[in-house]
Amino acid sequence: MKQFISIVSKMLLVVVLLVVLFAYAMFQGGFVSWFLFYAFLPFLLYLIVLVFYPLSHWKLERKLSQTTLHSGESLTVSVTIRREFPFPVYYCIVEDYVPGTMMKLNGHPNNYDYLSNPSALFQQRKVKRILFPWFRKQFTFSYTLDQLPRGEHTFHTVRLKVGDLLGFVKKTHYVTLGEKVLVYPSKRDVFIHQALHRNEGGSAPVHLQRSKQTTIVSGIRDYVPGDRFSWIDWKNTARKNKMMTKEFDVQRDASFFLILDAYEINSDKALAFEGSVEMCASLVQQFGRNHIHMTFLILGESRFVSPVSKEKEKQVSYQLARLEPAKSGTFAEGLQQEKCNVASGGKYMLVTTSLTLSLQESILQLIQSNNQIVLVYIDAQERIEATERQLIETLRASGVVVNVLTEKEMTKHVFEVNT
């Protein structure tokens, strides 16, 4: 209905101009008045054709330089417009609506300088270009989106706006193109200082990398940087003319859990939540690289559980890329429900952005079942007040290893975690 009214109003404007000029020529007479009428007649006829010219016949195509990338990287988008009939169009304004989920910047890792003020990273991205097609049947423009945030982003609408040289007639047309791009969380190396290994004789510090048994050879594989010199299989290396290492059976500990808090957060902790997602993605990569068996859980709107391994790393990254905080519930409640699924004597590494009294009580209950707890708490330095400090001291006094990561730790190129 709006489009019909717009066409009628524009047509009336053209008719009025034509009638005015014709009346002026009839009543005024003379060469000048008729010259004005005939000189403007081609423009008026062009306006009439432009009013009825169908923009719906234009074919649009949006191409993305890549459909999967990591946060902080750049994406190049090309929009191509094709039409069959080369009708002269003076100008065309093309506006590609950028998804609202892309309005955050991710200048990894320096973006964590704004942990206390994540709104400073908000940027209104607008993509609008003016083109002059004239008689061309095809024309293209490109643009680049930098510092992309994590998430699944969907492009939708492209707006076309054309008009005549004098600005009397303007037409607008919307085209829906549904391309998607998936931005995975960034990953960093994680330096894990040491882990506690419980046995009947008590607790003793050992490195997590030692969880791999090197007594039973299960096969051979290509050498990768980081493999021990003693693992090299010299006989097969000489036979295949490339470095080969022995593959050993891995000691598996089914009671080792990495748990991410994906419950509702305040808007001022949005960047801290992104940090917790990046931390878990980095830990999954590190544990898989070191052949350390553990189970990764996301507690939030929907429960996600997966073993950590190189084979499962892509699946876990996909879940983390699309993860959004739950609208209701708390991490403490999720832990209360989850502890029923794990036998006593397990190891828990909890990653959260909120430290509350109820969470402290849930952690202390896990400790009572002879569980080892490592807590990774991510938040801005200025938001860690006396209440949070008291909770941290209580947890540490109870045997919990608490890692507090603020702007200083999050902006490093390597995560450091005490376990």
Side-chain angles (χ1 to χ4, degrees):
M1 186 63 183
K2 290 182 179 180
Q3 185 176 4
F4 176 76
I5 295 175
S6 175
I7 293 176
V8 171
S9 60
K10 292 171 184 176
M11 191 63 196
L12 287 176
L13 175 63
V14 173
V15 172
V16 169
L17 288 174
L18 181 62
V19 171
V20 168
L21 287 175
F22 181 74
Y24 175 73
M26 288 293 293
F27 289 101
Q28 181 69 22
F31 172 79
V32 175
S33 58
W34 285 106
F35 175 80
L36 288 175
F37 174 76
Y38 287 113
F40 276 94
L41 187 59
F43 292 99
L44 294 176
L45 293 176
Y46 171 77
L47 294 179
I48 294 174
V49 177
L50 182 61
V51 168
F52 293 99
Y53 180 67
L55 293 180
S56 58
H57 290 176
W58 288 22
K59 305 297 182 183
L60 273 72
E61 181 184 13
R62 184 195 291 113
K63 289 185 178 180
L64 308 179
S65 59
Q66 47 189 329
T67 56
T68 58
L69 58 161
H70 288 84
S71 60
E73 295 181 348
S74 300
L75 175 70
T76 300
V77 183
S78 298
V79 178
T80 301
I81 303 172
R82 298 183 179 88
R83 53 185 183 147
E84 296 180 358
F85 182 72
F87 179 76
V89 175
Y90 173 59
Y91 74 87
C92 176
I93 298 176
V94 185
E95 183 175 3
D96 194 2
Y97 289 96
V98 179
T101 52
M102 284 188 173
M103 299 304 172
K104 296 178 291 184
L105 297 179
N106 189 338
H108 182 270
N110 296 327
N111 57 314
Y112 292 109
D113 284 327
Y114 301 94
L115 269 178
S116 60
N117 184 27
S119 60
L121 296 175
F122 180 85
Q123 183 184 69
Q124 188 69 34
R125 300 184 193 250
K126 288 187 177 181
V127 178
K128 186 183 291 187
R129 298 288 188 275
I130 181 168
L131 308 174
F132 300 95
W134 289 107
F135 292 93
R136 284 184 295 169
K137 290 186 177 182
Q138 177 176 321
F139 43 99
T140 304
F141 79 94
S142 301
Y143 62 93
T144 300
L145 299 172
D146 298 318
Q147 302 182 17
L148 291 183
R150 176 193 64 85
E152 187 177 41
H153 313 290
T154 303
F155 290 84
H156 286 289
T157 306
V158 179
R159 188 185 74 160
L160 301 174
K161 185 176 181 180
V162 300
D164 66 284
L165 181 64
L166 302 177
F168 288 108
V169 176
K170 297 177 182 179
K171 299 187 67 175
T172 302
H173 181 62
Y174 295 89
V175 180
T176 300
L177 302 173
E179 284 76 24
K180 290 185 178 182
V181 59
L182 186 65
V183 182
Y184 291 105
S186 299
K187 298 176 183 178
R188 308 183 218 176
D189 288 334
V190 183
F191 184 76
I192 302 173
H193 290 283
Q194 60 182 2
L196 288 176
H197 176 69
R198 290 180 183 264
N199 51 37
E200 294 180 357
S203 300
V206 297
H207 290 286
L208 279 173
Q209 286 84 343
R210 295 180 186 175
S211 63
K212 183 171 183 177
Q213 297 287 348
T214 58
T215 56
I216 303 175
V217 178
S218 60
I220 60 172
R221 58 174 173 80
D222 292 341
Y223 173 85
V224 294
D227 286 342
R228 297 180 184 177
F229 184 77
S230 59
W231 294 353
I232 297 177
D233 189 328
W234 295 107
K235 183 181 294 185
N236 284 287
T237 295
R239 183 184 304 163
K240 298 189 177 184
N241 199 26
K242 63 178 180 178
M243 296 292 287
M244 304 295 294
T245 61
K246 300 173 185 177
E247 183 72 1
F248 301 93
D249 285 340
V250 179
Q251 179 183 4
R252 300 188 177 272
D253 184 359
S255 59
F256 190 11
F257 289 87
L258 171 64
I259 304 178
L260 171 61
D261 175 8
Y263 284 92
E264 186 176 11
I265 58 172
N266 298 325
S267 58
D268 57 351
K269 289 194 176 186
L271 190 55
F273 178 73
E274 294 301 319
S276 68
V277 173
E278 183 179 341
M279 168 62 76
C280 286
S282 302
L283 286 170
V284 168
Q285 175 183 259
Q286 189 77 13
F287 289 138
R289 182 185 299 167
N290 293 327
H291 305 283
I292 299 170
H293 180 76
M294 67 182 305
T295 302
F296 176 55
L297 282 90
I298 300 176
L299 298 183
E301 190 165 357
S302 59
R303 179 179 181 272
F304 172 79
V305 57
S306 172
V308 172
S309 64
K310 283 191 174 181
E311 294 75 18
K312 294 290 185 179
E313 185 178 340
K314 187 174 183 180
Q315 179 185 359
V316 171
S317 296
Y318 177 75
Q319 292 293 331
L320 290 175
R322 302 176 68 249
L323 182 64
E324 293 293 336
K327 302 301 182 182
S328 60
T330 64
F331 191 37
E333 295 172 354
L335 285 179
Q336 289 286 349
Q337 299 173 3
E338 193 58 39
K339 73 174 185 176
C340 302
N341 300 324
V342 181
S344 61
K347 304 186 185 81
Y348 288 79
M349 182 177 287
L350 313 178
V351 181
T352 184
T353 61
S354 180
L355 192 54
T356 61
L357 182 60
S358 59
L359 178 58
Q360 181 198 58
E361 293 174 353
S362 296
I363 293 174
L364 293 178
Q365 290 178 17
L366 289 174
I367 294 178
Q368 292 175 2
S369 300
N370 198 31
N371 293 303
Q372 301 175 57
I373 306 297
V374 176
L375 179 66
V376 180
Y377 173 45
I378 302 174
D379 205 350
Q381 180 65 49
E382 68 177 41
R383 280 200 293 266
I384 303 177
E385 300 178 349
T387 303
E388 284 78 11
R389 294 192 185 96
Q390 182 61 43
L391 293 173
I392 292 171
E393 292 302 322
T394 302
L395 290 172
R396 284 175 174 167
S398 302
V400 179
V401 180
V402 181
N403 297 270
V404 180
L405 305 184
T406 60
E407 292 89 344
K408 180 180 178 181
E409 292 77 18
M410 294 299 295
T411 52
K412 294 181 179 179
H413 291 281
V414 178
F415 285 127
E416 296 185 17
V417 178
N418 295 316
T419 60

